[in-house]
Amino acid sequence: MRNLDFSSWQAVLSTLIGLAVITLIGVGIRLIVMQTVQARRERENRQINERLRTLIAAYKTLGGSFTGDLSVDPTHLRDVQRRGDAPAEPGNAELALPSSDRSRRIRDAVEGALSDILLLGTDEQVRLAARAAAELVAGRPVHTAELVVSLRDFIRGVLDLDPVPSNLEIPRQGPSRPSSAGKGKGEGAREEGKQGGRGGGGGMGGGGMGGGLAAGGVGMGLGAGLTDEAEEGR
């Protein structure tokens, strides 16, 4: 401010132009810094959200059940058929096939969840997921309760939720069982389609009967008219 010259209007104009340029440069640098920081923050938030969304999905897959068999059966269907565990009777075979398919779907879902945890999990979660994957490869049943607890604590911490009370007893959790809701809906839709087809056939039959009655009435009217004309001619 000491070097500012206000002795003439040319000096004042040059001084103001210099101040404006310096101000614009400062504002531009500030905007660039703010945009850089904001872009980095948005990228970090997207990464955190994607990681959290993936781990929540893995938690639901690995810990969606509290009852029944809470272990993952690593046996493949080809191994069951090779050992001859499948029953020979047709009726029993139909009952056993859905169970094998159900365990296979559970195992496939658990394998996908373990792969996601190996990619995005913490150090503890990666170690637990690697141990579970090794158990699956070795053909031994796998329990996911310890990994589910680690995922639950991590997710609640990221969401700034209070930790689960230590005196609260939560049952052991296992992999979620696939539901057959889609199959039931498909069967219901097919039944409705069949009923709709039958109703349409009934409507067509009713229309045919109505058309026949109308044609019969027209024929009777014409016959009566011809009879009257013949009598008049006589």
Side-chain angles (χ1 to χ4, degrees):
M1 297 294 292
R2 295 178 182 178
N3 297 326
L4 297 179
D5 187 6
F6 298 101
S7 59
S8 62
W9 65 270
Q10 293 89 352
V12 173
L13 183 60
S14 62
T15 301
L16 292 177
I17 292 175
L19 291 175
V21 170
I22 294 174
T23 303
L24 289 176
I25 293 175
V27 172
I29 294 174
R30 181 178 180 182
L31 289 176
I32 293 173
V33 172
M34 290 177 61
Q35 289 181 356
T36 303
V37 172
Q38 184 178 3
R40 182 182 302 175
R41 185 176 301 171
E42 290 178 355
R43 184 172 63 253
E44 292 176 354
N45 290 335
R46 287 195 300 268
Q47 293 175 354
I48 293 174
N49 292 335
E50 185 64 26
R51 180 186 185 188
L52 190 61
R53 187 182 301 110
T54 302
L55 293 180
I56 289 175
Y59 171 81
K60 292 180 179 179
T61 300
L62 299 178
S65 178
F66 293 93
T67 59
D69 188 6
L70 301 181
S71 62
V72 183
D73 185 9
T75 307
H76 290 264
L77 183 60
R78 62 175 181 271
D79 298 331
V80 175
Q81 295 176 352
R82 186 180 303 136
R83 290 198 307 262
D85 293 341
E89 298 180 4
N92 293 336
E94 293 177 357
L95 294 176
L97 184 59
S99 177
S100 300
D101 183 71
R102 179 180 181 181
S103 62
R104 178 184 60 81
R105 286 184 291 167
I106 292 176
R107 185 191 64 246
D108 294 343
V110 169
E111 287 180 354
L114 293 177
S115 177
D116 293 337
I117 294 173
L118 288 174
L119 178 64
L120 300 175
T122 61
D123 183 30
E124 179 185 5
Q125 295 166 5
V126 168
R127 287 189 291 102
L128 293 174
R131 187 174 65 185
E135 295 289 334
L136 283 175
V137 173
R140 292 187 290 269
V142 178
H143 295 273
T144 60
E146 187 176 358
L147 181 56
V148 168
V149 173
S150 179
L151 287 171
R152 182 175 62 225
D153 294 340
F154 174 76
I155 293 171
R156 292 183 67 88
V158 173
L159 296 177
D160 293 332
L161 300 175
D162 295 333
V164 178
S166 57
N167 58 352
L168 181 62
E169 295 183 1
I170 300 178
R172 292 176 62 87
Q173 295 175 248
S176 58
R177 295 183 290 271
S179 60
S180 58
K183 182 177 179 182
K185 291 180 180 178
E187 292 178 353
R190 287 196 296 270
E191 291 295 333
E192 290 179 358
K194 292 179 180 179
Q195 294 178 1
R198 294 174 183 175
M204 293 174 63
M209 293 176 64
L213 292 174
V218 172
M220 292 175 64
L222 290 174
L226 291 175
T227 304
D228 294 339
E229 290 178 356
E231 290 181 352
E232 292 177 357
R234 291 177 183 178

